[in-house]
Amino acid sequence: MKKKLVLLTGAGISAESGIKTFRDADGLWEGHDVMQVASPEGWHKNKELVLDFYNQRRRQLHQVKPNLGHNVLAELEQDYDVYIITQNVDNLHEQAGSNKVVHIHGELFKVRSTKDESYVLDWTNDLVLGDLDPNGFQLRPHIVWFGEAVPALELAIEITQNADYFAVIGSSLQVYPAAGLVQYTPPNTPIFYIDPKPVALPNMPNPIQIIPKTATEGVPVLKKLLQEIDGRV
């Protein structure tokens, strides 16, 4: 039976494919206050602004490709039972060939009803006012905004609780509840942290090995370390 490798990925891995990180140092997301475009309040205040913002993000997804980090994670499925829990709303993991991807913050290529959260559609083009569900309610981006519940969190916790290995890739571990997932790893689970500017991680439940590299540099290192631990090299 393959060992379970659980990976928590953040904006850093997508940034190397050309997708801008969630917010810049000044707290703005490409010129917008995040609360304007990533909160229920922002949505109710200016739906057209929010729709346009995510339309631009969605269009960009048609122009980017997975990078080496994404590709090597997909390759790891040959030797491990790989689960990717991602904070990213792009589909680059799926493009690379990863089969078990949990998007805890939603997906750009999906929309949902503003009335019935369970009504979710695949959506690759622009979403505009007047795009409605069958009952006449406006569709909105299938994104978890600030202040909203994280429906996939329980599944992510369950996956993490069964990890043989756990790795954090390209995440500052500053956005909760995703940042708290590492606390659910089983006792003695090896933890790896790949980030060119790793932050201090106090109160870690298990030994952690820091790989101070970008995702494209660090994921191949992770693959080699795992192979060494398992005697594959």
Side-chain angles (χ1 to χ4, degrees):
M1 181 180 295
K2 293 180 179 179
K3 290 186 177 180
K4 180 174 288 189
L5 170 62
V6 180
L7 308 150
L8 173 64
T9 66
I13 191 168
S14 293
E16 291 190 82
S17 287
I19 294 179
K20 293 185 179 180
T21 54
F22 180 71
R23 63 173 107 179
D24 300 319
D26 56 7
L28 299 179
W29 195 0
E30 298 187 18
H32 296 286
D33 183 304
V34 293
M35 299 309 287
Q36 289 182 313
V37 295
S39 73
E41 294 77 15
W43 169 252
H44 292 301
K45 183 177 181 180
N46 192 336
K47 293 182 175 64
E48 286 191 352
L49 172 67
V50 175
L51 290 173
D52 179 64
F53 179 82
Y54 289 98
N55 286 340
Q56 292 182 48
R57 310 282 81 70
R58 201 177 295 109
R59 290 174 208 150
Q60 186 189 28
L61 278 194
H62 292 288
Q63 302 169 357
V64 296
K65 298 294 182 185
N67 58 54
L68 180 64
H70 297 104
N71 293 333
V72 174
L73 292 183
E75 291 172 5
L76 283 168
E77 291 190 9
Q78 297 172 16
D79 297 317
Y80 298 93
D81 185 15
V82 178
Y83 288 80
I84 295 176
I85 302 167
T86 186
Q87 297 171 274
N88 302 328
V89 296
D90 58 67
N91 68 340
L92 293 176
H93 284 302
E94 288 90 343
Q95 281 193 48
S98 291
N99 290 295
K100 299 174 183 176
V101 184
V102 176
H103 289 267
I104 54 177
H105 292 160
E107 299 179 63
L108 268 176
F109 276 162
K110 291 184 178 179
V111 300
R112 73 171 187 257
S113 168
T114 51
K115 180 68 174 178
D116 178 6
E117 290 188 7
S118 67
Y119 185 79
V120 179
L121 296 174
D122 292 328
W123 201 276
T124 58
N125 298 314
D126 285 0
L127 179 66
V128 299
L129 287 178
D131 287 328
L132 310 176
D133 72 6
N135 294 313
F137 292 97
Q138 176 66 39
L139 296 171
R140 55 159 276 184
H142 187 50
I143 302 293
V144 177
W145 289 330
F146 287 102
E148 294 186 322
V150 183
L153 182 61
E154 288 188 11
L155 175 59
I157 290 173
E158 180 182 342
I159 291 169
T160 301
Q161 289 174 327
N162 290 285
D164 293 303
Y165 301 110
F166 189 89
V168 179
I169 304 168
S171 173
S172 63
L173 291 179
Q174 301 299 302
V175 178
Y176 285 83
L181 281 175
V182 68
Q183 301 297 330
Y184 291 93
T185 53
N188 302 314
T189 300
I191 298 174
F192 305 88
Y193 180 26
I194 301 172
D195 198 279
K197 298 179 180 178
V199 298
L201 300 176
N203 304 317
M204 293 298 288
N206 290 304
I208 182 168
Q209 182 160 348
I210 296 175
I211 303 171
K213 297 179 179 293
T214 64
T216 53
E217 298 170 329
V219 174
V221 173
L222 172 65
K223 180 179 180 179
K224 184 176 180 181
L225 287 172
L226 292 172
Q227 289 175 332
E228 291 174 351
I229 292 171
D230 291 333
R232 298 181 184 274
V233 292

